PDB file of all heavy atoms in Angstrom:
ATOM      1  N   CYS A 242     128.541 180.556 108.593  1.00  0.00           N
ATOM      2  CA  CYS A 242     128.167 180.280 109.995  1.00  0.00           C
ATOM      3  C   CYS A 242     128.443 181.525 110.875  1.00  0.00           C
ATOM      4  O   CYS A 242     127.649 181.829 111.774  1.00  0.00           O
ATOM      5  CB  CYS A 242     128.964 179.092 110.555  1.00  0.00           C
ATOM      6  SG  CYS A 242     128.520 177.514 109.870  1.00  0.00           S
ATOM      7  N   GLN A 243     129.528 182.227 110.577  1.00  0.00           N
ATOM      8  CA  GLN A 243     129.827 183.475 111.404  1.00  0.00           C
ATOM      9  C   GLN A 243     128.735 184.440 111.161  1.00  0.00           C
ATOM     10  O   GLN A 243     128.274 185.138 112.062  1.00  0.00           O
ATOM     11  CB  GLN A 243     131.224 183.976 110.977  1.00  0.00           C
ATOM     12  CG  GLN A 243     131.559 185.275 111.659  1.00  0.00           C
ATOM     13  CD  GLN A 243     132.921 185.850 111.105  1.00  0.00           C
ATOM     14  OE1 GLN A 243     133.541 185.247 110.302  1.00  0.00           O
ATOM     15  NE2 GLN A 243     133.242 187.039 111.615  1.00  0.00           N
ATOM     16  N   VAL A 244     128.295 184.670 109.858  1.00  0.00           N
ATOM     17  CA  VAL A 244     127.322 185.673 109.510  1.00  0.00           C
ATOM     18  C   VAL A 244     126.014 185.317 110.274  1.00  0.00           C
ATOM     19  O   VAL A 244     125.361 186.203 110.915  1.00  0.00           O
ATOM     20  CB  VAL A 244     127.081 185.676 108.041  1.00  0.00           C
ATOM     21  CG1 VAL A 244     125.783 186.451 107.694  1.00  0.00           C
ATOM     22  CG2 VAL A 244     128.247 186.375 107.324  1.00  0.00           C
ATOM     23  N   ALA A 245     125.590 184.023 110.161  1.00  0.00           N
ATOM     24  CA  ALA A 245     124.320 183.628 110.853  1.00  0.00           C
ATOM     25  C   ALA A 245     124.398 183.717 112.358  1.00  0.00           C
ATOM     26  O   ALA A 245     123.494 184.124 112.979  1.00  0.00           O
ATOM     27  CB  ALA A 245     123.915 182.222 110.420  1.00  0.00           C
ATOM     28  N   SER A 246     125.558 183.347 112.909  1.00  0.00           N
ATOM     29  CA  SER A 246     125.760 183.439 114.356  1.00  0.00           C
ATOM     30  C   SER A 246     125.683 184.838 114.851  1.00  0.00           C
ATOM     31  O   SER A 246     125.017 185.130 115.851  1.00  0.00           O
ATOM     32  CB  SER A 246     127.091 182.837 114.701  1.00  0.00           C
ATOM     33  OG  SER A 246     127.304 182.902 116.067  1.00  0.00           O
ATOM     34  N   ASN A 247     126.320 185.792 114.162  1.00  0.00           N
ATOM     35  CA  ASN A 247     126.233 187.161 114.613  1.00  0.00           C
ATOM     36  C   ASN A 247     124.808 187.700 114.465  1.00  0.00           C
ATOM     37  O   ASN A 247     124.405 188.554 115.270  1.00  0.00           O
ATOM     38  CB  ASN A 247     127.230 187.975 113.797  1.00  0.00           C
ATOM     39  CG  ASN A 247     128.679 187.740 114.135  1.00  0.00           C
ATOM     40  OD1 ASN A 247     128.969 187.164 115.278  1.00  0.00           O
ATOM     41  ND2 ASN A 247     129.612 187.971 113.310  1.00  0.00           N
ATOM     42  N   ALA A 248     124.134 187.276 113.379  1.00  0.00           N
ATOM     43  CA  ALA A 248     122.783 187.765 113.160  1.00  0.00           C
ATOM     44  C   ALA A 248     121.873 187.241 114.251  1.00  0.00           C
ATOM     45  O   ALA A 248     120.990 187.940 114.815  1.00  0.00           O
ATOM     46  CB  ALA A 248     122.296 187.246 111.768  1.00  0.00           C
ATOM     47  N   PHE A 249     122.071 185.911 114.713  1.00  0.00           N
ATOM     48  CA  PHE A 249     121.319 185.375 115.835  1.00  0.00           C
ATOM     49  C   PHE A 249     121.453 186.310 117.069  1.00  0.00           C
ATOM     50  O   PHE A 249     120.459 186.570 117.783  1.00  0.00           O
ATOM     51  CB  PHE A 249     121.787 183.985 116.124  1.00  0.00           C
ATOM     52  CG  PHE A 249     120.857 182.970 115.652  1.00  0.00           C
ATOM     53  CD1 PHE A 249     121.077 182.316 114.431  1.00  0.00           C
ATOM     54  CD2 PHE A 249     119.803 182.508 116.434  1.00  0.00           C
ATOM     55  CE1 PHE A 249     120.187 181.285 113.995  1.00  0.00           C
ATOM     56  CE2 PHE A 249     118.904 181.493 116.023  1.00  0.00           C
ATOM     57  CZ  PHE A 249     119.119 180.895 114.806  1.00  0.00           C
ATOM     58  N   ALA A 250     122.699 186.670 117.401  1.00  0.00           N
ATOM     59  CA  ALA A 250     122.962 187.491 118.545  1.00  0.00           C
ATOM     60  C   ALA A 250     122.145 188.746 118.509  1.00  0.00           C
ATOM     61  O   ALA A 250     121.586 189.187 119.546  1.00  0.00           O
ATOM     62  CB  ALA A 250     124.470 187.761 118.719  1.00  0.00           C
ATOM     63  N   ASP A 251     122.133 189.410 117.395  1.00  0.00           N
ATOM     64  CA  ASP A 251     121.351 190.652 117.247  1.00  0.00           C
ATOM     65  C   ASP A 251     119.819 190.420 117.349  1.00  0.00           C
ATOM     66  O   ASP A 251     119.120 191.275 117.938  1.00  0.00           O
ATOM     67  CB  ASP A 251     121.648 191.304 115.877  1.00  0.00           C
ATOM     68  CG  ASP A 251     123.099 192.017 115.926  1.00  0.00           C
ATOM     69  OD1 ASP A 251     123.514 192.285 117.020  1.00  0.00           O
ATOM     70  OD2 ASP A 251     123.588 192.324 114.792  1.00  0.00           O
ATOM     71  N   VAL A 252     119.368 189.314 116.830  1.00  0.00           N
ATOM     72  CA  VAL A 252     118.020 188.902 116.936  1.00  0.00           C
ATOM     73  C   VAL A 252     117.579 188.749 118.415  1.00  0.00           C
ATOM     74  O   VAL A 252     116.530 189.199 118.885  1.00  0.00           O
ATOM     75  CB  VAL A 252     117.579 187.718 116.164  1.00  0.00           C
ATOM     76  CG1 VAL A 252     116.137 187.345 116.347  1.00  0.00           C
ATOM     77  CG2 VAL A 252     117.760 187.973 114.599  1.00  0.00           C
ATOM     78  N   MET A 253     118.449 188.050 119.155  1.00  0.00           N
ATOM     79  CA  MET A 253     118.216 187.856 120.594  1.00  0.00           C
ATOM     80  C   MET A 253     118.143 189.182 121.343  1.00  0.00           C
ATOM     81  O   MET A 253     117.234 189.370 122.174  1.00  0.00           O
ATOM     82  CB  MET A 253     119.298 186.987 121.184  1.00  0.00           C
ATOM     83  CG  MET A 253     119.314 185.567 120.773  1.00  0.00           C
ATOM     84  SD  MET A 253     120.708 184.600 121.426  1.00  0.00           S
ATOM     85  CE  MET A 253     120.438 183.012 120.626  1.00  0.00           C
ATOM     86  N   LYS A 254     119.031 190.114 121.027  1.00  0.00           N
ATOM     87  CA  LYS A 254     119.006 191.411 121.612  1.00  0.00           C
ATOM     88  C   LYS A 254     117.764 192.202 121.339  1.00  0.00           C
ATOM     89  O   LYS A 254     117.311 192.997 122.137  1.00  0.00           O
ATOM     90  CB  LYS A 254     120.270 192.189 121.250  1.00  0.00           C
ATOM     91  CG  LYS A 254     121.547 191.658 121.738  1.00  0.00           C
ATOM     92  CD  LYS A 254     122.755 192.427 121.148  1.00  0.00           C
ATOM     93  CE  LYS A 254     124.028 191.783 121.503  1.00  0.00           C
ATOM     94  NZ  LYS A 254     125.199 192.436 120.840  1.00  0.00           N
ATOM     95  N   PHE A 255     117.218 191.966 120.140  1.00  0.00           N
ATOM     96  CA  PHE A 255     116.092 192.694 119.673  1.00  0.00           C
ATOM     97  C   PHE A 255     114.769 192.152 120.267  1.00  0.00           C
ATOM     98  O   PHE A 255     113.733 192.829 120.272  1.00  0.00           O
ATOM     99  CB  PHE A 255     115.983 192.458 118.155  1.00  0.00           C
ATOM    100  CG  PHE A 255     114.773 193.093 117.467  1.00  0.00           C
ATOM    101  CD1 PHE A 255     114.615 194.447 117.270  1.00  0.00           C
ATOM    102  CD2 PHE A 255     113.731 192.232 117.048  1.00  0.00           C
ATOM    103  CE1 PHE A 255     113.515 194.957 116.626  1.00  0.00           C
ATOM    104  CE2 PHE A 255     112.579 192.772 116.442  1.00  0.00           C
ATOM    105  CZ  PHE A 255     112.504 194.133 116.254  1.00  0.00           C
TER     106      PHE A 255
END
Side-chain angles (χ1 to χ4, degrees):
C242 291
Q243 180 186 356
V244 167
S246 179
N247 291 338
F249 255 95
D251 283 342
V252 175
M253 290 178 183
K254 294 174 186 175
F255 175 78

